[in-house]
Amino acid sequence: MDDENPGLEEDRPQSGPAKALYLLGIQRARSWGRRAGRDELADVLRVRYRDLEALVKPAVFEMAELDTDTVQDHQRAVEAATRRGTILPAPFGVIFHGRRPLIRLLQEQYLVLDEALSFLDGQCEVRLHITSTDGGEPDDEQMHVANQIYSDLRRSARAAVPFPRDGRRLLSSAFLVERTGWVEFIQRAETLAQPHAEVSLDITGPWPPYDFVRFVV
């Protein structure tokens, strides 16, 4: 179901209790087409304002439960949308009380959303965690190796977001890299770590750019 009206309009009446809209993310307006097999976006609606489309699901206007199944459903839908084009992924649990407040968001933040989509176009996220191999408390040498690996990878990425230290991890970060070059980026990370048996890498991707988007609703 598509909504091609580029302006603000009244909420459409819906049957049953699902009157709210659960936000998955925002993309450029385009024709998706259908793919064979199970479609994670089969029940996703598109609410359009100008050349932007909010991807939403019908929902009940209440606090979303943070359980494994619903979070995984959210992630699967966002990842399916990512395969069809650049997306500004919404954090879990963002629900609008109908179409009007959602379109108002698209109106008021249009320039910011447009700029963010341009910045993320053709990019994906790769996450890196570096720990000490022996599992002990990090020492200065291990920290130096971790920082050197991060610095080298940062030069190969469009952007990076370091995470706060967690437990005995030496370093954690998300990198924004070219979607066509994420395999080479991971291989580069593994090559940099290979001479340093004292550290261990956990690197995953490609992910939607979760850590490079901040929604203000």
Side-chain angles (χ1 to χ4, degrees), residues 130 141-151 170-171 199:
I130 305 178
E141 181 179 351
Q142 291 169 337
M143 288 299 302
H144 176 73
V145 170
N147 288 326
Q148 284 295 108
I149 293 173
Y150 169 82
S151 297
L170 300 168
L171 184 145
V199 301

Side-chain angles (χ1 to χ4, degrees), residues 37-82:
R38 183 186 176 193
D39 190 347
E40 299 290 351
L41 301 174
D43 58 344
V44 171
L45 310 177
R46 290 177 279 171
V47 177
R48 181 170 177 176
Y49 173 73
R50 296 177 64 175
D51 62 336
L52 301 182
E53 284 181 336
L55 310 185
V56 298
K57 289 186 176 184
V60 177
F61 192 66
E62 62 184 18
M63 183 73 70
E65 293 186 13
L66 190 63
D67 61 71
T68 301
D69 289 341
T70 52
V71 171
Q72 288 180 345
D73 286 345
H74 177 103
Q75 291 177 333
R76 281 194 290 265
V78 171
E79 288 164 14
T82 301

Side-chain angles (χ1 to χ4, degrees), residues 65-155:
E65 293 186 13
L66 190 63
D67 61 71
T68 301
D69 289 341
T70 52
V71 171
Q72 288 180 345
D73 286 345
H74 177 103
Q75 291 177 333
R76 281 194 290 265
V78 171
E79 288 164 14
T82 301
R83 292 191 290 272
R84 299 179 184 231
T86 301
I87 187 172
L88 302 180
F92 176 81
V94 178
I95 300 177
F96 289 84
H97 199 338
R99 293 165 49 83
R100 289 182 64 86
L102 174 55
I103 296 178
R104 189 173 299 113
L105 169 75
L106 298 178
Q107 283 182 315
E108 294 175 351
Q109 300 194 29
Y110 176 83
L111 293 178
V112 174
L113 297 172
D114 178 72
E115 183 178 349
L117 281 167
S118 296
F119 180 75
L120 296 176
D121 193 32
Q123 307 289 312
C124 66
E125 178 173 324
V126 172
R127 294 175 187 160
L128 170 69
H129 303 290
I130 305 178
T131 57
S132 60
T133 305
D134 59 17
E137 290 295 332
D139 58 34
D140 290 344
E141 181 179 351
Q142 291 169 337
M143 288 299 302
H144 176 73
V145 170
N147 288 326
Q148 284 295 108
I149 293 173
Y150 169 82
S151 297
D152 194 301
L153 292 175
R154 176 64 184 87
R155 290 192 288 271

Side-chain angles (χ1 to χ4, degrees), residues 3-21:
D3 175 8
E4 298 300 332
N5 192 326
L8 185 64
E9 62 180 55
E10 297 294 331
D11 294 348
R12 293 179 181 177
Q14 300 180 33
S15 60
K19 297 181 180 180
L21 296 174

